[in-house]
Amino acid sequence: MYLNEFYNRFSLDERLVEVAGHNPYYQRIDSGLNEIILVNEQTMIDLASNNYLGLATDERVKLAAVQAVQKYGVSLCGTPIATGYSDLYQRLEGKLANFVGLEETILLPTCYQANNGLFSSISGPQDLIVVDRCAHSSLIQGIKAAGCKIRPFLHNNLEHLEGILQRSAGYRQVFVVTESVFSTEGSVAPFKEIVQLCENYQALPVIDDSHGIGVLGGSGRGILEEQRISRYRGIYTASLGKAMASSGGMISGEKRLIDYLKYYCPHLVYSTALSPAVLAGTEAVLDIIHSEFGALKGRLVTYQQEIYQSLVKGGFTVLPGEAPINSIQCGSKEATFILTKMLYDQGILSTPFIEPSVPINDGRVRLIAGANLSEDSVAEAAEIIQRIGCP
Amino acid sequence: MEDRVISTLKHILNKRYMQITLESRLREDLNVDSLDLLMILGDLEDEFATTLSDEDFSDVVTVNDIVIKLRARRIQDYRHVFE
Ligand SMILES: Cc1ncc(COP(=O)(O)O)c(C=O)c1O
């Protein structure tokens, strides 16, 4: 009996899927992120993945990963503090630190894990964390786990942030946490101003640049390059599973802090290190970014604008993203799912966001057209979007 | 006190709602989620120069419930005295 009661607590609410006639989540992908992808064995245009630069299936990246497997096998079966710390691992840490222009970097299996582990390692009940209201779940969960006082501020609202900082005396340390690109809507944080506010109020900035690394800045180095923030003394995290076309999470900053985390961040110390294929693949991606970023970014921006125009012509309410993202405002979760289904039925894979990923009744459908798509595919997607029109 | 609570809510939710009354239900009518609630409590702390624990406010349903909880904490509406 007690087992039934226990398991009954976990029944899912199927109503939304019934209303929309479609469940957009856990769709089975039967191919790599090629020009055309296979979803449930049907060909589709990928406007859903975070493969911004389109490097996930680049032949050079694949080759680097394959060669790493040949040399090291598939895993070193150890955490970084033990047998997981390969020469590949060490080299990539150095290259990534150099890439974003900070002293040192550590690599965790995912950025979710990095953001989860960071705050409980560096803050506690005597501290205050002020965080953008729209920050990613990994940041919010990580902050909650630290047991400190939390004060969210209105999204990208410097006035509200400053008001909070003005009244934040008496804490051991105040942190200000935000993202560079808010991926559900494509907005970019006024991070230079946030760093300045932090200096004024002696707070420590923490930026999650997951959707900025490999995308923002003249050479793809992310938010710090984009907003010309020099001598950044805060903390930087990013996912390597988006433009970096691989997987993993990085934390970068001053050597003293990173050295400390190497021993005191349990999410790093007690978790199996990234695998050789992933490390080598990321390194190859970095090399390609060094030599080809301009052309890749050019395509990304052109595609984003083309999709944007089609959305406007189709009568959609779309936020003009500062990042290469188009985010359609749908309102209710039902409307969000229904639009996702209409796109899906026409061969476009998109990403729906409903609460709690976004505020209640502020559903979005996100479209990202990666640089690996052909002009024809993007033109076809644009034509479909316009034809469907805002329901 | 009531006016100051409503005006704090309006500041946090301003883009979304113009009509906020004491009877408005936070979740159902104003779409307040847990982060919004933390933001509201933070701004009320500033407004009334006090500290509030979010656990104490986890069961509020309407705007008026917030007012009742604040009163129960003997939070004085000093401004009211001067008005
Ligand atoms: C802003 C942000 N931070 C962190 C993550 C988590 O990254 P990862 O997939 O590497 O765990 C994501 C990805 O969804 C993200 O968008």
Side-chain angles (χ1 to χ4, degrees), chain A residues 133 149 151-152 160 167 361, chain B residues 33 36 39 42-43 45-46:
Chain A
R133 187 249 169 282
K149 172 89 176 168
R151 286 208 51 186
H160 193 217
R167 297 184 188 84
N361 271 332
Chain B
D33 65 13
D36 290 326
M39 237 184 327
D43 280 16
E45 288 182 336
D46 293 343

Side-chain angles (χ1 to χ4, degrees), chain A residues 131-135 140 144 149-155 157 160 163-164 167 171 355-356 358-361, chain B residues 11-17 27 31-36 38-39 41-47 51-53:
Chain A
V131 55
D132 189 288
R133 187 249 169 282
C134 293
I140 301 293
K144 283 188 177 164
K149 172 89 176 168
I150 309 171
R151 286 208 51 186
F153 63 95
L154 290 165
H155 178 48
N157 188 322
H160 193 217
I164 294 173
R167 297 184 188 84
Y171 292 97
E355 67 245 27
V358 288
I360 300 169
N361 271 332
Chain B
H11 179 234
I12 296 295
L13 307 171
N14 69 346
K15 267 197 254 152
R16 288 185 262 158
Y17 306 95
R27 193 180 153 89
N31 292 338
V32 167
D33 65 13
S34 61
L35 282 178
D36 290 326
L38 270 183
M39 237 184 327
L41 293 178
D43 280 16
L44 288 172
E45 288 182 336
D46 293 343
E47 178 69 23
T51 50
L52 304 169
S53 125

Side-chain angles (χ1 to χ4, degrees), chain A residues 67-88:
Chain A
Q67 284 173 344
V69 170
Q70 303 286 12
K71 183 169 172 194
Y72 300 86
V74 290
S75 172
L76 289 165
C77 303
T79 75
I81 208 163
T83 57
Y85 195 64
S86 58
D87 55 339
L88 284 176

Side-chain angles (χ1 to χ4, degrees), chain A residues 50 109-113 115 136 138-139 179 181 183 208 210-211 238-242 247-249 366:
Chain A
N50 302 306
T110 68
C111 188
Y112 203 103
Q113 203 164 317
N115 287 342
H136 191 258
S138 54
L139 293 165
E179 283 168 41
V181 176
S183 76
D208 175 336
S210 290
H211 289 266
S239 170
L240 304 176
K242 303 178 193 297
S247 70
R366 182 179 74 192

Side-chain angles (χ1 to χ4, degrees), chain A residues 21 98 147 157 169 216 229 238 242 252 257 276 298-299 303 306 330 350:
Chain A
N98 190 36
N157 188 322
L216 299 180
I229 299 168
K242 303 178 193 297
S252 306
L257 171 79
R299 276 216 295 285
Y303 290 167
E306 198 170 334
C330 299
S350 63

Side-chain angles (χ1 to χ4, degrees), chain A residues 127-130 165 168-169 171-176 201-205:
Chain A
D127 302 316
L128 166 69
I129 299 191
V130 190
L165 290 175
S168 296
Y171 292 97
R172 180 181 64 174
Q173 178 65 54
V174 177
F175 300 87
V176 176
Y201 294 93
Q202 297 179 0
L204 196 105

